[in-house]
Structure formats: C-alpha cells, structure tokens
C-alpha cells in the first residue's frame, strides 16, 4: 500500500501534480485530486524530517501510522513528554486541528514545537493522516 502510494506520488509529481494545492485555484475536479496527493507531499515536507508513517516509531518522533483514532501519546514504543501523556483522549479531527495549530498551547511542555499553522495545509495533512491506517 505504501509502495503503491509512493509510485502514485512519483507519477503525480512527474505529471506536475505535486505542486501544493494551496497555490492553485480549487475550481476544478483535477484540483481536488491534486489536493489529496499534496497532503502526502506536505506531510513529507513539514513533518517528514521527524515523523514516518512506518510500522515502528523513530527515537526522534512517534510513527503516525494509524494516528487518527489512536489514543493521544498512545504508542508503547515512544517516550512521550509528560505534557502529552497527561492530555488523555484520542486523536480526531478536532484534537489534531488544535494540536497542529499550536502544539505548545495544546500541551505546554510538548517536545513537538512545530505545527502547521496554515489552515489549508493543516487540513490537507490531517486528511492524509486519516489514510495511513
Ligand atoms: C522537529 C520534529 C517534529 C516535527 C517537524 C513534527 N513533529 Fe510531530 N511530534 C514530534 C515529537 C517529538 C512528538 C512527541 C511529542 C511529545 O511527546 O510531547 C510528536 C508528536 C506528534 C503527534 C502525537 C502522536 C501520538 O502518538 O500521540 C502528532 C499527531 C504529530 N506529532 C503530528 C505532526 C505533524 C502532522 C507534523 C507536521 C505538520 C509534525 N508532527 C511535525 C516531533 C515533530
């Protein structure tokens, strides 16, 4: 599935569809499919330096595979900050939106200091995270 997605993304970027959707008018159906692809590339650009969506967490950051619907700070293979462990609840549209708007406001003391403050970028990334189950 990841391999398929990767090949799709390579094909999409070869076809010029890898341009971030935020810079394109959202007026045609091709813009919509481009937005789906760009969630993955935005993730790679803005989150991929720390996070993967692989089966296991990296020492740097928890894997985000299956994060949508997962308990906050819920992976046994990552040493979360006390701040995030104390939050409780699950990652859903609302919690991800608030966290990624400003991680330090959501969980003061979190080790994640960079979010995705731009709303369109943030939503494209959240939509992408829903697909990596
Ligand atoms: C500089 C490294 C870094 C970057 C860049 C980064 N993160 Fe994180 N992220 C972390 C760390 C470290 C944690 C664990 C935070 C803690 O324990 O307080 C984390 C935690 C998370 C969590 C909670 C996961 C869980 O298992 O509870 C989510 C969701 C998340 N990041 C999403 C993102 C997204 C989406 C982006 C891109 C917009 C991003 N992160 C960018 C380092 C990073």
């Amino acid at each position: 599935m990841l391999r398929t997605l990767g090949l799709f993304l390579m094909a999409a970027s070869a076809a010029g569809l890898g341009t971030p959707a935020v810079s394109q008018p959202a007026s045609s159906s091709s813009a919509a499919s481009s937005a789906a692809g760009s969630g993955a590339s935005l993730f790679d650009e803005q989150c991929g330096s720390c996070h993967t969506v692989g089966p296991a967490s990296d020492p740097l950051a928890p894997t985000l595979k299956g994060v949508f619907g997962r308990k906050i700070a819920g992976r046994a293979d990552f040493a979360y900050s006390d701040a995030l462990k104390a939050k409780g609840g699950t990652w859903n549209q609302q919690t991800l939106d608030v966290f990624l708007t400003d991680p330090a406001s959501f969980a003061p003391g979190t080790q994640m200091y960079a979010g995705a403050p731009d709303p369109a970028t943030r939503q494209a990334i959240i939509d992408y995270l829903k697909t990596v189950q």
Side-chain angles (χ1 to χ4, degrees):
M1 153 54 182
L2 276 177
R3 179 178 299 266
T4 312
L5 185 63
L7 289 172
F8 168 76
L9 288 172
M10 280 168 60
S13 81
L17 298 174
T19 317
V22 287
S23 66
Q24 296 176 349
S27 57
S28 69
S29 58
S30 79
S33 62
S34 163
S38 83
S41 42
L42 289 168
F43 175 84
D44 283 349
E45 283 165 23
Q46 303 200 10
C47 322
S49 53
C50 298
H51 290 283
T52 72
V53 292
S57 293
D58 192 86
L60 213 55
T63 177
L64 296 183
K65 177 180 167 60
V67 74
F68 197 88
R70 184 163 94 200
K71 262 184 67 191
I72 293 175
R75 284 201 62 103
D77 66 355
F78 184 78
Y80 294 97
S81 67
D82 290 341
L84 207 59
K85 283 192 287 194
K87 280 305 285 189
T90 53
W91 290 121
N92 55 33
Q93 170 64 39
Q94 199 239 334
T95 48
L96 280 171
D97 189 54
V98 176
F99 176 59
L100 294 173
T101 300
D102 184 1
S105 301
F106 178 83
T110 179
Q111 295 158 15
M112 181 165 136
Y113 50 85
D118 174 68
T121 301
R122 184 166 66 249
Q123 191 57 51
I125 292 173
I126 292 173
D127 287 344
Y128 167 69
L129 289 176
K130 291 176 189 167
T131 70
V132 288
Q133 289 302 312

